[in-house]
Amino acid sequence: MMKRNYWTIQSKQENLIYLVAWGLLFVAPLLSLYVRTVSNADIELNWNEVGIVWKHFAAYLLLFVIHNFLLAPVLVHGHKRAAYVTTVVAILTAFTIYQCSSRPDEIGPRPRIEHNRHHEPPHDEPPFEFDEERPPLPDEKAEHRPPRRIHKADAPPPIVGERDILAIMVALLMFGANLGIKFYFRSRSDRKRLAILERENLEQQLEYLRYQINPHFFMNTLNNIHALVDIDPEQAKDTILELSKMMRFVLYEGNKQSVALSREFDFIRHYVALMQLRYTEKVKITLNLPQESPDRQIPPLILITFIENAFKHGISYQHDSFIEVTVTVDDDKLCFLCCNSKADRPNKEKGGVGLDNVRKRLKLLYDNNYSLKIHDTSDVYQVELSLPLKS
């Protein structure tokens, strides 16, 4: 798919904000004139006044269109600060020249005011200056000719007046507001895109971890069946049936984000029943699961890894051993406790993938909303896990 040009990236919400703002701005003169005509019957609806205001607004609208579609994307999406500042200065300079060239002559030439020698100038008139001598009037002598008054209003206007400075400030405020809105929508878009990437990355990581858990689990289970075949072939057949039920769960439920709590408990029962077939009475296995499970969800294969680890490292063939698994459910919270003895000769088989993976899965799925405590002493290994349950 062709990559969109950043000059055309603009959301519908942003366009709606601009449309509403400019619509209200152009309607404001009509409302003001309407209120004036309603409050004072002598005032007539003068469309010329509205036209003059709209003419000024049209100049700002043109500046806004240029800034919104050409200049602002250069800074917001292109990150070209020097080009943006240079272009804005050039645009404002051209706008100032236009303002000065279109400035109306508000003060016209004043009529010459002549005073005879017996007339004193009024006290409230502005101060005056003496001009060069003018030709005397026919009935006036040169020595009695009054000076010509030059009013300050007759002086040439400044190149850039207060009105022009105010117009530039309004344009700068308009540019600033436009940039603020664009940066807001840009940051919101970046947050959405980052959330999508994080979710995709999370799904990929969880898929990879589940892919590692399944082969690791079946490797241990097949080793158990292999040992059981030599001891009791009939029990080995029953074990294969149990394994088929477990495989069905792993194949159809293991790739889901969450499964029913009752299904996860059934899987644990099948696994413990399978493991009990290969051990003698020296190994005491206790499993306490709720008989009735609430309608809650849990990530699949999240608890079995700890139980696997207990059977792998907690069984001694020379001495009495024990494994105790207890699960309690309190509405929206699950508490898992797995305690096992430690073998005299710990299993040095290369592995540990399952335990590392479950730690990573817990972090990815629950962030900091779970509790995992591991107590490792000289003769006992205990795991305490607390998880929130989904509805």
mmCIF file of all heavy atoms in Angstrom, residues 311-319 321 341-349 378:
data_model
loop_
_atom_site.group_PDB
_atom_site.id
_atom_site.type_symbol
_atom_site.label_atom_id
_atom_site.label_comp_id
_atom_site.label_asym_id
_atom_site.label_seq_id
_atom_site.Cartn_x
_atom_site.Cartn_y
_atom_site.Cartn_z
ATOM 1 N N PHE A 311 7.043 -32.294 40.188
ATOM 2 C CA PHE A 311 7.289 -33.713 39.918
ATOM 3 C C PHE A 311 8.710 -33.956 39.409
ATOM 4 O O PHE A 311 9.306 -34.996 39.677
ATOM 5 C CB PHE A 311 6.285 -34.223 38.889
ATOM 6 C CG PHE A 311 4.956 -34.584 39.466
ATOM 7 C CD1 PHE A 311 3.876 -33.728 39.345
ATOM 8 C CD2 PHE A 311 4.779 -35.776 40.149
ATOM 9 C CE1 PHE A 311 2.649 -34.058 39.886
ATOM 10 C CE2 PHE A 311 3.558 -36.117 40.695
ATOM 11 C CZ PHE A 311 2.486 -35.250 40.571
ATOM 12 N N LYS A 312 9.229 -32.984 38.706
ATOM 13 C CA LYS A 312 10.557 -33.178 38.104
ATOM 14 C C LYS A 312 11.665 -33.091 39.134
ATOM 15 O O LYS A 312 12.643 -33.856 39.087
ATOM 16 C CB LYS A 312 10.759 -32.126 37.015
ATOM 17 C CG LYS A 312 12.081 -32.247 36.277
ATOM 18 C CD LYS A 312 12.163 -31.200 35.184
ATOM 19 C CE LYS A 312 13.491 -31.302 34.427
ATOM 20 N NZ LYS A 312 13.610 -30.288 33.370
ATOM 21 N N HIS A 313 11.545 -32.183 40.097
ATOM 22 C CA HIS A 313 12.640 -31.941 41.037
ATOM 23 C C HIS A 313 12.310 -32.333 42.473
ATOM 24 O O HIS A 313 13.181 -32.218 43.340
ATOM 25 C CB HIS A 313 13.023 -30.457 41.023
ATOM 26 C CG HIS A 313 13.472 -29.971 39.684
ATOM 27 N ND1 HIS A 313 14.712 -30.267 39.168
ATOM 28 C CD2 HIS A 313 12.830 -29.219 38.749
ATOM 29 C CE1 HIS A 313 14.827 -29.709 37.970
ATOM 30 N NE2 HIS A 313 13.698 -29.065 37.699
ATOM 31 N N GLY A 314 11.075 -32.792 42.759
ATOM 32 C CA GLY A 314 10.708 -33.054 44.140
ATOM 33 C C GLY A 314 10.532 -34.511 44.500
ATOM 34 O O GLY A 314 10.132 -34.814 45.620
ATOM 35 N N ILE A 315 10.785 -35.417 43.576
ATOM 36 C CA ILE A 315 10.565 -36.837 43.829
ATOM 37 C C ILE A 315 11.894 -37.528 44.110
ATOM 38 O O ILE A 315 12.856 -37.385 43.350
ATOM 39 C CB ILE A 315 9.867 -37.508 42.631
ATOM 40 C CG1 ILE A 315 8.519 -36.830 42.371
ATOM 41 C CG2 ILE A 315 9.687 -38.986 42.883
ATOM 42 C CD1 ILE A 315 7.568 -36.889 43.525
ATOM 43 N N SER A 316 11.925 -38.240 45.193
ATOM 44 C CA SER A 316 13.101 -39.048 45.558
ATOM 45 C C SER A 316 12.698 -40.519 45.545
ATOM 46 O O SER A 316 11.664 -40.886 46.134
ATOM 47 C CB SER A 316 13.619 -38.646 46.950
ATOM 48 O OG SER A 316 14.653 -39.520 47.364
ATOM 49 N N TYR A 317 13.476 -41.349 44.895
ATOM 50 C CA TYR A 317 13.179 -42.782 44.824
ATOM 51 C C TYR A 317 13.741 -43.538 46.022
ATOM 52 O O TYR A 317 13.446 -44.721 46.196
ATOM 53 C CB TYR A 317 13.749 -43.375 43.523
ATOM 54 C CG TYR A 317 13.047 -42.855 42.285
ATOM 55 C CD1 TYR A 317 13.564 -41.771 41.585
ATOM 56 C CD2 TYR A 317 11.875 -43.456 41.847
ATOM 57 C CE1 TYR A 317 12.932 -41.298 40.457
ATOM 58 C CE2 TYR A 317 11.224 -42.971 40.708
ATOM 59 C CZ TYR A 317 11.758 -41.899 40.014
ATOM 60 O OH TYR A 317 11.124 -41.432 38.904
ATOM 61 N N GLN A 318 14.560 -42.885 46.846
ATOM 62 C CA GLN A 318 15.130 -43.544 48.020
ATOM 63 C C GLN A 318 14.397 -43.177 49.302
ATOM 64 O O GLN A 318 14.346 -43.968 50.249
ATOM 65 C CB GLN A 318 16.621 -43.198 48.181
ATOM 66 C CG GLN A 318 17.533 -43.837 47.162
ATOM 67 C CD GLN A 318 17.503 -43.120 45.819
ATOM 68 O OE1 GLN A 318 17.166 -41.929 45.775
ATOM 69 N NE2 GLN A 318 17.834 -43.839 44.754
ATOM 70 N N HIS A 319 13.821 -41.999 49.358
ATOM 71 C CA HIS A 319 13.179 -41.534 50.583
ATOM 72 C C HIS A 319 11.748 -41.105 50.289
ATOM 73 O O HIS A 319 11.347 -40.936 49.126
ATOM 74 C CB HIS A 319 13.960 -40.366 51.205
ATOM 75 C CG HIS A 319 15.394 -40.693 51.512
ATOM 76 N ND1 HIS A 319 16.416 -40.520 50.601
ATOM 77 C CD2 HIS A 319 15.966 -41.201 52.648
ATOM 78 C CE1 HIS A 319 17.562 -40.886 51.140
ATOM 79 N NE2 HIS A 319 17.317 -41.314 52.389
ATOM 80 N N SER A 321 8.706 -38.807 49.760
ATOM 81 C CA SER A 321 8.579 -37.499 49.112
ATOM 82 C C SER A 321 7.114 -37.069 49.143
ATOM 83 O O SER A 321 6.210 -37.900 49.346
ATOM 84 C CB SER A 321 9.072 -37.552 47.664
ATOM 85 O OG SER A 321 10.389 -38.060 47.593
ATOM 86 N N SER A 341 8.732 -31.665 48.349
ATOM 87 C CA SER A 341 10.040 -31.973 48.928
ATOM 88 C C SER A 341 11.101 -31.878 47.847
ATOM 89 O O SER A 341 10.790 -31.835 46.646
ATOM 90 C CB SER A 341 10.017 -33.385 49.533
ATOM 91 O OG SER A 341 9.654 -34.332 48.540
ATOM 92 N N LYS A 342 12.358 -31.840 48.279
ATOM 93 C CA LYS A 342 13.468 -31.744 47.332
ATOM 94 C C LYS A 342 14.242 -33.061 47.339
ATOM 95 O O LYS A 342 14.550 -33.625 48.401
ATOM 96 C CB LYS A 342 14.390 -30.576 47.703
ATOM 97 C CG LYS A 342 13.674 -29.231 47.629
ATOM 98 C CD LYS A 342 14.577 -28.080 47.982
ATOM 99 C CE LYS A 342 15.627 -27.863 46.915
ATOM 100 N NZ LYS A 342 16.414 -26.627 47.169
ATOM 101 N N ALA A 343 14.517 -33.534 46.144
ATOM 102 C CA ALA A 343 15.216 -34.808 46.004
ATOM 103 C C ALA A 343 16.644 -34.695 46.515
ATOM 104 O O ALA A 343 17.242 -33.602 46.528
ATOM 105 C CB ALA A 343 15.203 -35.257 44.546
ATOM 106 N N ASP A 344 17.194 -35.875 46.958
ATOM 107 C CA ASP A 344 18.581 -35.867 47.424
ATOM 108 C C ASP A 344 19.526 -35.494 46.298
ATOM 109 O O ASP A 344 20.517 -34.790 46.500
ATOM 110 C CB ASP A 344 18.948 -37.258 47.974
ATOM 111 C CG ASP A 344 18.098 -37.620 49.179
ATOM 112 O OD1 ASP A 344 17.634 -36.686 49.855
ATOM 113 O OD2 ASP A 344 17.893 -38.821 49.421
ATOM 114 N N ARG A 345 19.214 -35.994 45.124
ATOM 115 C CA ARG A 345 20.015 -35.669 43.945
ATOM 116 C C ARG A 345 19.116 -34.922 42.968
ATOM 117 O O ARG A 345 18.323 -35.535 42.247
ATOM 118 C CB ARG A 345 20.558 -36.947 43.290
ATOM 119 C CG ARG A 345 21.526 -37.720 44.177
ATOM 120 C CD ARG A 345 22.016 -38.965 43.462
ATOM 121 N NE ARG A 345 22.942 -39.717 44.308
ATOM 122 C CZ ARG A 345 23.525 -40.871 43.932
ATOM 123 N NH1 ARG A 345 23.250 -41.384 42.735
ATOM 124 N NH2 ARG A 345 24.352 -41.489 44.754
ATOM 125 N N PRO A 346 19.213 -33.631 42.951
ATOM 126 C CA PRO A 346 18.342 -32.847 42.073
ATOM 127 C C PRO A 346 18.523 -33.254 40.619
ATOM 128 O O PRO A 346 19.615 -33.623 40.194
ATOM 129 C CB PRO A 346 18.804 -31.394 42.306
ATOM 130 C CG PRO A 346 19.470 -31.425 43.641
ATOM 131 C CD PRO A 346 20.104 -32.779 43.760
ATOM 132 N N ASN A 347 17.438 -33.163 39.890
ATOM 133 C CA ASN A 347 17.465 -33.490 38.467
ATOM 134 C C ASN A 347 18.309 -32.453 37.731
ATOM 135 O O ASN A 347 17.995 -31.257 37.725
ATOM 136 C CB ASN A 347 16.034 -33.497 37.918
ATOM 137 C CG ASN A 347 15.955 -34.135 36.551
ATOM 138 O OD1 ASN A 347 16.935 -34.181 35.838
ATOM 139 N ND2 ASN A 347 14.763 -34.635 36.220
ATOM 140 N N LYS A 348 19.377 -32.909 37.119
ATOM 141 C CA LYS A 348 20.281 -32.012 36.412
ATOM 142 C C LYS A 348 19.995 -31.988 34.913
ATOM 143 O O LYS A 348 20.818 -31.543 34.127
ATOM 144 C CB LYS A 348 21.733 -32.421 36.647
ATOM 145 C CG LYS A 348 22.159 -32.304 38.111
ATOM 146 C CD LYS A 348 23.619 -32.671 38.276
ATOM 147 C CE LYS A 348 24.037 -32.529 39.738
ATOM 148 N NZ LYS A 348 25.463 -32.891 39.942
ATOM 149 N N GLU A 349 18.843 -32.510 34.559
ATOM 150 C CA GLU A 349 18.475 -32.510 33.142
ATOM 151 C C GLU A 349 18.381 -31.076 32.626
ATOM 152 O O GLU A 349 17.841 -30.187 33.287
ATOM 153 C CB GLU A 349 17.126 -33.213 32.971
ATOM 154 C CG GLU A 349 16.608 -33.212 31.541
ATOM 155 C CD GLU A 349 15.208 -33.785 31.473
ATOM 156 O OE1 GLU A 349 14.742 -34.333 32.484
ATOM 157 O OE2 GLU A 349 14.592 -33.659 30.397
ATOM 158 N N SER A 378 16.334 -25.759 52.089
ATOM 159 C CA SER A 378 17.202 -26.919 51.863
ATOM 160 C C SER A 378 16.428 -28.190 51.550
ATOM 161 O O SER A 378 16.916 -29.071 50.840
ATOM 162 C CB SER A 378 18.103 -27.147 53.081
ATOM 163 O OG SER A 378 17.311 -27.363 54.249
#
